[in-house]
Amino acid sequence: MSSEPSDSTKPDTVVLVHGLWMTPRSWEGWVQHYQQKGFTVVTPAYPGFEIEVEALREHPQIIADLTVPETVEHLAGVIGGLDRPPIIMGHSFGGTLTQILLARGLGAAGVVVDSAPTEGVRVNPPSQAKSLFPALKNPANRHRAVGFTPEEFHYAFTNTLSAEESRATWERYAIPAPGRWVWDYGLIANFKPGHQETWVDFGTDRAPLLFIAGQDDHIMPPSVNRSNAKHWEKSPAVTEYYEFEGRDHWTCAAPGWEQVADHALTWALENANRPEPATA
């Protein structure tokens, strides 16, 4: 099937939602790739993240103070302002946000890449614990913006790259993350009573959703994504899972990223606006 938008019923816009420790800059290759295919591409920043990577490193309080609800509302406003429902794609925590947005009824189709889990996914592999330990090792980090050292980033994000390649990636793209997000949604959410800010109703109908995982991802391993996808079995909506061999968490730009981008777009176009099964 062609990946070109063919008529007014097909999405003509792709919204790319970045994850933690990143900004919209992380999507720069995908933006050009999709634009060359004729799509409008929107890369909304989290509130306050509109400034460049280098400026955010100089003003970490912007990061530390950010909340998930205000981020969701901001993204929902961007998507709701488009002419027609777009394809929404999210990487890492952007995958969590994408699931929340889809559950709200937004989007024509969704793809989450190496997604962080929504509330209720209780799989915590050892490599994930090791990846998140720099943020979780000190309770005071819950109130700070917490970054990775180059070595920590190499383990968590870019473990299939050389140390030199990883260092260059860290220098161009990496920023701190809100410590509270890592603590509250990576550690505490499943143990608090009631629904927390990353809760979704897994039984709700929504746009079709594809989970893409990387076989060698340390921070959001395949087992986390498989479990998250399985939770959506309660929904009547289409939910599928696909795993790429040999890929780490830095699938936005690690060599071969074009294959991931093309698979995501082709699946989304094939499944967007899929008609409901006929009933007897």
Side-chain angles (χ1 to χ4, degrees):
M1 176 179 175
S2 170
S3 60
E4 301 293 337
S6 58
D7 56 59
S8 60
T9 67
K10 288 291 184 182
D12 60 356
T13 300
V14 181
V15 176
L16 300 173
V17 183
H18 67 87
L20 297 187
W21 292 284
M22 290 287 141
T23 73
R25 183 186 287 183
S26 62
W27 291 114
E28 57 189 354
W30 291 51
V31 171
Q32 183 177 15
H33 192 66
Y34 287 162
Q35 286 175 340
Q36 290 173 346
K37 295 177 180 292
F39 290 86
T40 298
V41 185
V42 180
T43 56
Y46 298 173
F49 284 39
E50 296 84 3
I51 58 180
E52 291 292 345
V53 166
E54 294 77 11
L56 276 169
R57 292 171 181 158
E58 294 298 319
H59 299 90
Q61 200 60 39
I62 295 172
I63 300 169
D65 292 342
L66 187 64
T67 70
V68 166
E70 69 179 306
T71 303
V72 171
E73 292 304 323
H74 172 70
L75 296 173
V78 171
I79 294 167
L82 299 173
D83 291 339
R84 68 179 81 163
I87 296 166
I88 308 173
M89 298 186 186
H91 174 244
S92 197
F93 203 90
T96 307
L97 296 169
T98 296
Q99 292 180 67
I100 295 171
L101 293 166
L102 292 178
R104 284 190 171 201
L106 296 170
V111 180
V112 295
V113 183
D114 305 330
S115 184
T118 49
E119 183 184 341
V121 179
R122 298 176 180 272
V123 177
N124 298 109
S127 69
Q128 183 181 57
K130 181 176 178 180
S131 297
L132 296 176
F133 181 71
L136 298 175
K137 64 184 178 182
N138 183 352
N141 284 342
R142 188 170 179 268
H143 306 287
R144 299 169 177 164
V146 184
F148 286 127
T149 67
E151 294 74 23
E152 291 164 348
F153 184 83
H154 192 193
Y155 180 84
F157 265 73
T158 53
N159 49 288
T160 66
L161 303 184
S162 69
E164 184 176 82
E165 292 168 329
S166 178
R167 179 64 182 248
T169 300
W170 177 83
E171 289 176 347
R172 174 153 181 78
Y173 299 102
I175 63 168
R180 191 175 74 83
W181 292 28
V182 182
W183 272 82
D184 288 9
Y185 315 123
L187 184 68
I188 300 172
N190 287 330
F191 303 99
K192 282 186 176 181
H195 297 154
Q196 307 304 308
E197 293 168 347
T198 57
W199 177 85
V200 294
D201 178 358
F202 288 117
T204 193
D205 201 358
R206 46 145 176 80
L209 173 61
L210 173 66
F211 283 79
I212 291 179
Q215 179 187 43
D216 295 332
D217 189 338
H218 279 170
I219 194 168
M220 294 298 163
S223 59
V224 174
N225 280 261
R226 282 195 299 268
S227 178
N228 199 162
K230 187 176 178 62
H231 277 70
W232 280 108
E233 288 180 351
K234 301 172 185 176
S235 172
V238 174
T239 307
E240 295 184 9
Y241 172 87
Y242 187 86
E243 187 173 316
F244 278 92
E245 294 184 0
R247 298 204 65 82
D248 59 20
H249 197 63
W250 182 230
T251 206
C252 292
W257 63 264
E258 297 90 344
Q259 183 184 4
V260 183
D262 287 343
H263 184 89
L265 182 60
T266 298
W267 187 94
L269 290 174
E270 289 177 347
N271 286 276
N273 305 321
R274 178 186 284 189
E276 293 295 326
T279 56

